Amino acid sequence: MESRSETPAPAVTTTVAPPARPSPARPVWRGAWRAVRPPERLCHATGAVLVLSGLAHLVVFAVDGGPWDGPVSWRKPVTFGLSFGLTLIAITWVTSYLRVGARLRSALLVVFAADCVAEVGGITLQAWRRVPSHLNMETGFDTAVSMTLAVGGGVLVVLLTVFAVASFRNRPTGPLGMPLALRSGFAILLVALASGAAMIARGVVLTRTGHQEAAYHSTAPLKPLHGVSLHAVLVLPALAWLLSHTAWSDRTRQRVIHSAVGCYAAAVLAAGVWAALTW
């Protein structure tokens, strides 16, 4: 028999695709920022600008010098820029836990941001003009600025009171301890608003009765009370948020929040007693 030599079949080679590169992880903050509504972005950005303005005027004070206290000093654009900027950022953040309609909240926040800009802008303008910003009725322009600041303060009181009432009408959302932190922060904030209104009212009375210099110094007793109570709405909710990212038990976190609220209330009470004794 004739033998045939069979040609072996060609080997089949399989091409293995290289493993796909994992897509680079996006920063968490970028995703969180994109989830924020446009009005909230505007408020956060505005608050950051106000904080930067305060820091910039701290540099101006270091270069130019001058008194830190008194009705005419670089202290006012520094402290008001920092305070209003932080408050705007804080209110924009904490009101996200309130049970308020999205459109209503956005509208209130935009008005609040505009009012903060007007307040800091007027105070900064007068600092550069080397004249007092509040309770200054020396010229028509100074009176207009002073009255604008007073009206702006009234708008702030109304807006923040609306948010405070909303925090008590419906239980806020958020992690454990956040409802208590929010309600306590807003309640203490009302003390800041009341002390601020008292400072303006007393100063206006003294100005109208011809005691201009006394009006400038009449706010000193209430300044510590106003300053301490103003930022509780940022400090207490921030603590509750930080505690939610710990491995502590619910009972421990609740104790910490209750202790923090008690300590803050004691500080406000001490500032109030000092104001009453030195009024």
Side-chain angles (χ1 to χ4, degrees):
M1 293 181 60
E2 185 178 0
S3 60
R4 290 184 180 177
S5 58
E6 297 182 357
T7 304
V12 178
T13 58
T14 304
T15 304
V16 180
R21 287 186 178 181
S23 57
R26 294 182 178 179
V28 177
W29 63 266
R30 184 178 298 178
W33 179 251
R34 289 181 178 178
V36 175
R37 297 168 60 90
E40 297 176 23
R41 293 186 192 180
L42 173 64
C43 292
H44 283 302
T46 303
V49 171
L50 295 180
V51 170
L52 291 176
S53 173
L55 294 175
H57 283 88
L58 187 60
V59 176
V60 173
F61 169 72
V63 174
D64 185 63
W68 180 253
D69 294 321
V72 181
S73 69
W74 293 117
R75 169 188 56 83
K76 300 191 77 173
V78 171
T79 56
F80 277 80
L82 294 174
S83 182
F84 272 88
L86 290 175
T87 300
L88 176 56
I89 293 172
I91 292 299
T92 304
W93 171 54
V94 300
T95 53
S96 64
Y97 295 106
L98 301 182
R99 300 182 186 275
V100 181
R103 291 184 178 179
L104 175 60
R105 174 172 168 262
S106 296
L108 294 176
L109 287 177
V110 170
V111 174
F112 183 62
D115 202 8
C116 289
V117 172
E119 292 288 304
V120 176
I123 291 165
T124 304
L125 171 65
Q126 296 296 73
W128 281 97
R129 295 182 66 235
R130 307 286 184 170
V131 296
S133 55
H134 293 85
L135 309 174
N136 184 1
M137 310 294 179
E138 296 296 329
T139 67
F141 183 80
D142 293 330
T143 301
V145 173
S146 181
M147 294 305 298
T148 299
L149 295 177
V151 172
V155 174
L156 292 176
V157 170
V158 172
L159 293 175
L160 294 175
T161 301
V162 170
F163 285 132
V165 171
S167 70
F168 284 93
R169 286 191 61 185
N170 298 295
R171 181 181 175 82
T173 61
L176 181 69
M178 184 62 77
L180 175 62
L182 280 171
R183 286 175 170 175
S184 302
F186 272 113
I188 296 174
L189 179 62
L190 294 179
V191 176
L193 299 179
S195 60
M199 285 191 288
I200 294 175
R202 188 182 188 191
V204 169
V205 170
L206 290 173
T207 300
R208 295 298 186 186
T209 55
H211 301 86
Q212 186 69 57
E213 193 65 26
Y216 291 145
H217 299 285
S218 65
T219 60
L222 288 174
K223 284 182 179 179
L225 175 62
H226 182 71
V228 170
S229 54
L230 185 63
H231 296 293
V233 75
L234 169 60
V235 174
L236 295 177
L239 177 61
W241 181 84
L242 289 173
L243 289 174
S244 69
H245 290 76
T246 65
W248 295 354
S249 65
D250 291 353
R251 186 176 182 180
T252 301
R253 283 186 285 164
Q254 284 182 333
R255 286 181 176 179
V256 172
I257 285 294
H258 281 85
S259 298
V261 171
C263 291
Y264 213 110
V268 172
L269 179 61
V273 171
W274 188 86
L277 294 176
T278 57
W279 182 259

